[in-house]
Amino acid sequence: MTVPSPPWRAGTKAAGRRSEAVRLVLEGRSLAEVRKELALTVVDERCVEDHLLELAAAERRGGQQGPAVRAVQREFGAEHDEQAVPPPPEPPMPPQVAEALAAFRACLGMHPTPEQPGHRQLAWSVHTGRMARVGVVAYTCAECVPISYELCTAGGLMFVRRTDRTKTRPEVSVSEYLPGARVRALWARLLAGQAR
């Protein structure tokens, strides 16, 4: 199993605090306890949470139920434990969806899966141009469908940008700005039709 390296630069005071916090949580201490003891900032805590989620995902890929998986189950509950939440059942495919999928296969762009029953409704806010420089990491096709999505990074955070072309003027909105691991999970759910 390949263990993901921490997403922070080694050799800084913050890196020392964050690495120590991960070690203590993996040993069984609660994150609230560790936050108090090490005086973690909000950014420190988010980085520690993201790294714990990445470690748990690596353990699961390796077929293990190790300390990171147990820590994630203890700290975040079942909603963050991929194995505790069964995947939604496959619904029968309506004819219009089958036709749309056939059209999508003709296009080389990435297309999100149609909305699944019980999908999560995301909170979208109006795009204000908060960040001067935005990098696009991944995107969905904007040719075949009227609503397209972009996985973006800016200022050390990530977000999803949605462009809705169903109206006269395109409307651009964004998801919440969050650390990378959380937004990548959101992006995966969006592509799978489990969120919109």
Side-chain angles (χ1 to χ4, degrees):
M1 174 184 82
T2 306
V3 178
S5 55
W8 47 80
R9 192 179 69 206
T12 64
K13 287 181 183 179
R17 274 193 318 270
R18 294 169 187 171
S19 296
E20 178 67 7
V22 169
R23 186 185 68 74
L24 291 171
V25 171
L26 290 177
E27 287 178 356
R29 306 260 306 270
S30 77
L31 187 55
E33 235 176 77
V34 171
R35 178 189 324 118
K36 227 178 205 178
E37 181 181 322
L38 298 178
L40 296 178
T41 66
V42 173
V43 174
D44 289 339
E45 188 175 354
R46 288 234 171 130
C47 288
V48 168
E49 289 173 359
D50 286 345
H51 191 53
L52 286 169
L53 290 169
E54 288 173 4
L55 290 171
E59 282 181 2
R60 282 191 206 98
R61 282 192 299 271
Q64 297 178 357
Q65 183 80 7
V69 170
R70 288 190 296 277
V72 166
Q73 289 171 341
R74 184 182 66 243
E75 293 296 326
F76 307 114
E79 67 271 8
H80 287 285
D81 183 13
E82 294 169 3
Q83 298 205 347
V85 180
E90 289 288 325
M93 192 178 299
Q96 65 269 27
V97 172
E99 290 171 19
L101 286 175
F104 290 157
R105 288 188 184 111
C107 176
L108 297 177
M110 183 173 19
H111 298 89
T113 304
E115 293 174 2
Q116 300 297 310
H119 71 277
R120 181 176 156 205
Q121 189 63 41
L122 301 176
W124 297 98
S125 57
V126 177
H127 179 55
T128 59
R130 167 180 163 180
M131 303 287 186
R133 295 178 60 147
V134 174
V136 176
V137 177
Y139 55 89
T140 63
C141 179
E143 300 294 320
C144 303
V145 289
I147 299 177
S148 61
Y149 301 92
E150 297 170 302
L151 176 61
C152 301
T153 181
L157 299 173
M158 293 185 88
F159 62 97
V160 176
R161 181 167 47 197
R162 178 181 71 173
T163 305
D164 184 351
R165 294 178 189 77
T166 58
K167 301 184 174 80
T168 313
R169 291 183 62 188
E171 290 183 8
V172 180
S173 52
V174 295
S175 70
E176 190 176 2
Y177 288 73
L178 295 168
R182 290 183 178 176
V183 176
R184 287 187 187 279
L186 170 73
W187 178 253
R189 285 193 301 273
L190 195 143
L191 292 178
Q194 297 171 354
R196 280 293 183 271

